[in-house]
Amino acid sequence: MTTAPTHLADLTATRLTAGYAAGEFSPVEVTRAALERAEAAQARTNCFTLITADEALAAAKESEERWRAGEPAGPVDGVPTTVKDLILTRGTPTLRGSRTVRAEGPAWDEDAPSVARMRQAGAVFLGKTTTPEFGWKGVTDSPRHGVTGNPYDAGRTAGGSSGGSAAAVAMGAGPLSLGTDGGGSVRIPASFCGIFALKATYGRVPLYPASPFGTLAHVGPMTRDAADTALMMDVITGADWRDWSQLAPGTASFRETLAGPVAGLRVAYSPSLGWDVPVAPEIAAAVRGAVDRLAALGAHVEEVDPGIADPVEAFHTLWFSGAARVVQHLGDADRQLLDPGLREICDQGARYSALDYLAAVDTRMALGQAMGRFHETYDLLITPTEPITAFEAGAEVPAGSGHTRWTGWTPFTYPFNLTQQPAATVPCGVDGDGLPIGVQLVGARHADALVLRASHALYEAGIAEIPAPATPGGS
């Protein structure tokens, strides 16, 4: 065992499993290193609701025995993994950031499909990560668990709603995490925290229980790089009868498609989607650099907007209605325990009529058709992931922005939840304060492998090499 535990927490899942196979280090050593980082990450950023150290070490010992016998359970056997606290995980409460959820029950005896697949493949679960209450907004703070800070500056937000997962991965508390994305909720925090995340085509990753936000909500991998996400996708895209809307499992391994060419891809670069979004100059320059790198690899790049209108009002109708549904069963006393912002949007959502909802569905269908037509010409659409970098923690919107809801500062993400397209974020630089910048790659529906391939090419070309956040004590 030659690799120091200090460095084990910085390795990708792909590198870890190769090391296990070669006998360089063991799952127990790696899990101990990841747990040390988890404690440090929790102290700095408040990114965990629960760290399950004893259970993780027990699972790591079982994994160690499988690797010694040459019989790993799957491609993530022994890899430390975290799970957002919106996703059912057997044996641990799923509290959803809410004081209205009782920790003592139900029995917490069921895994969500993605968790079940990761468990079956030998993943070592370190614990549950923070979320805003019921995942309702694009930053991570909740009445139950408080504010989650950014690994690069704890006074800034980690983004949301998967901010805890993003912070954990960025700080070495496991290279893999499961998050959920309803309007950019894996891409926003991944961009703010300097990691990779993929919102796959809706239905590609089975989801259970069904989300009250309907088909806006996806389960997504959050990882150190695109190769690790491909590894996870090969595990979590397996069929599960509990999701009636799941897609048929793919026939090809996502890992095997990573090495495909970028040359010849038709890439549309849209700096602001044609909506006059004020993108920070440092972000615009970093995203332009990523686009230029794809062009240097042989992609045919054209600066062009997709010709769509901002669908924010339709998104609000669907999202706020879903929020109202989440809390519909609560009495007056429990409603007073809710995040005040959540209570506001629930009240608004409850006022929408069925005709309002169906009008939003019509807008959504028209948007999907427009993007389908756009992708007849272009394989990929590239935008900034966010027009800003991480702002003050504990606020829904940046001070002085004039925005009232989180959707005001994240215009590039929620449209592609409406259309169900695959979209990824790749770190592509830092601003003058050292805060990460992300570039978003969007593909046509079902083109998940293509999005991963182009993202992986950016990693291979070095565009995603940004400084890691400092770790307390160097651990």
Side-chain angles (χ1 to χ4, degrees):
M1 306 299 179
T2 58
T3 303
T6 297
H7 304 299
L8 291 178
D10 296 321
L11 298 181
T12 65
T14 303
R15 177 67 183 90
L16 288 177
T17 53
Y20 297 158
E24 296 177 55
F25 39 74
S26 77
V28 172
E29 290 176 293
V30 169
T31 298
R32 285 177 178 149
L35 286 169
E36 288 177 7
R37 286 288 183 87
E39 295 290 349
Q42 176 64 5
R44 172 180 287 186
T45 67
N46 186 36
C47 58
F48 281 92
T49 66
L50 179 68
I51 297 174
T52 53
D54 291 344
E55 295 86 343
L57 287 169
K61 289 175 183 177
E62 293 175 1
S63 174
E64 185 174 71
E65 292 302 315
R66 291 192 294 269
W67 280 104
R68 283 177 177 167
E71 299 176 347
V76 296
D77 199 347
V79 177
T81 302
T82 56
V83 180
K84 182 179 181 179
D85 196 35
L86 291 182
I87 304 173
L88 290 180
T89 308
R90 191 178 73 232
T92 58
T94 300
L95 302 176
R96 300 174 173 90
S98 182
R99 291 182 290 177
T100 69
V101 178
R102 313 307 185 223
E104 60 271 16
W108 311 118
D109 58 358
E110 189 172 22
D111 281 331
S114 52
V115 175
R117 296 283 296 181
M118 291 291 286
R119 193 188 299 276
Q120 182 182 22
V124 172
F125 295 116
L126 301 182
K128 303 297 285 286
T129 58
T130 53
T131 174
E133 193 165 22
F134 299 113
W136 80 271
K137 59 184 174 180
V139 294
T140 298
D141 58 74
S142 73
R144 184 159 199 149
H145 296 114
V147 178
T148 297
N150 191 295
Y152 287 83
D153 179 346
R156 311 279 186 121
T157 181
S161 62
S162 302
S165 287
V169 171
M171 293 196 68
L176 306 179
S177 191
L178 285 166
T180 63
D181 192 313
S185 317
V186 298
R187 287 160 290 152
I188 297 167
S191 177
F192 281 178
C193 294
I195 67 166
F196 182 78
L198 172 71
K199 177 190 74 69
T201 301
Y202 181 80
R204 180 62 59 207
V205 180
L207 176 63
Y208 170 85
S211 171
F213 296 103
T215 58
L216 293 174
H218 304 58
V219 176
M222 305 181 74
T223 64
R224 296 251 171 84
D225 59 20
D228 272 8
T229 282
L231 185 74
M232 280 188 78
M233 288 290 285
D234 279 348
V235 174
I236 65 177
T237 53
D240 192 295
W241 63 266
R242 294 173 292 176
D243 183 357
W244 66 270
S245 62
Q246 67 183 306
L247 298 176
T251 57
S253 162
F254 286 97
R255 283 172 290 169
E256 292 174 357
T257 64
L258 288 179
V262 171
L265 288 181
R266 304 164 298 169
V267 175
Y269 166 49
S270 179
S272 68
L273 288 178
W275 301 344
D276 296 323
V277 176
V279 177
E282 290 171 301
I283 294 175
V287 172
R288 177 79 247 190
V291 170
D292 289 344
R293 191 63 60 92
L294 285 177
L297 293 172
H300 302 302
V301 175
E302 181 180 348
E303 187 168 327
V304 60
D305 298 320
I308 56 176
D310 186 352
V312 67
E313 293 305 323
F315 181 83
H316 282 170
T317 299
L318 300 172
W319 191 254
F320 296 174
S321 297
R325 176 64 174 160
V326 170
V327 305
Q328 186 179 27
H329 68 288
L330 297 179
D332 290 341
D334 274 347
R335 281 177 178 266
Q336 294 308 308
L337 300 176
L338 296 173
D339 180 330
L342 174 60
R343 202 160 55 238
E344 289 175 10
I345 71 162
C346 290
D347 290 344
Q348 184 173 343
R351 291 193 294 269
Y352 291 126
S353 69
L355 290 178
D356 293 330
Y357 193 93
L358 291 173
V361 171
D362 285 344
T363 298
R364 182 181 192 180
M365 289 191 294
L367 179 67
Q369 289 173 332
M371 288 307 303
R373 182 169 59 248
F374 183 77
H375 283 291
E376 290 290 299
T377 303
Y378 300 100
D379 299 305
L380 291 173
L381 169 65
I382 294 186
T383 74
T385 307
E386 298 301 331
I388 57 175
T389 51
F391 53 90
E392 178 187 359
E396 183 185 347
V397 301
S401 66
H403 301 306
T404 56
R405 294 268 79 103
W406 62 273
T407 45
W409 53 263
T410 180
F412 301 124
T413 57
Y414 59 78
F416 307 110
N417 288 75
L418 288 165
T419 60
Q420 304 187 350
Q421 295 172 246
T425 184
V426 177
C428 62
V430 295
D431 69 5
D433 293 326
L435 298 169
I437 295 167
V439 57
Q440 179 175 235
L441 288 75
V442 182
R445 290 182 76 243
H446 310 294
D448 307 86
L450 175 60
V451 170
L452 278 173
R453 186 205 317 165
S455 299
H456 180 65
L458 289 176
Y459 276 92
E460 292 289 287
I463 197 71
E465 294 177 1
I466 66 170
T471 306
S475 63

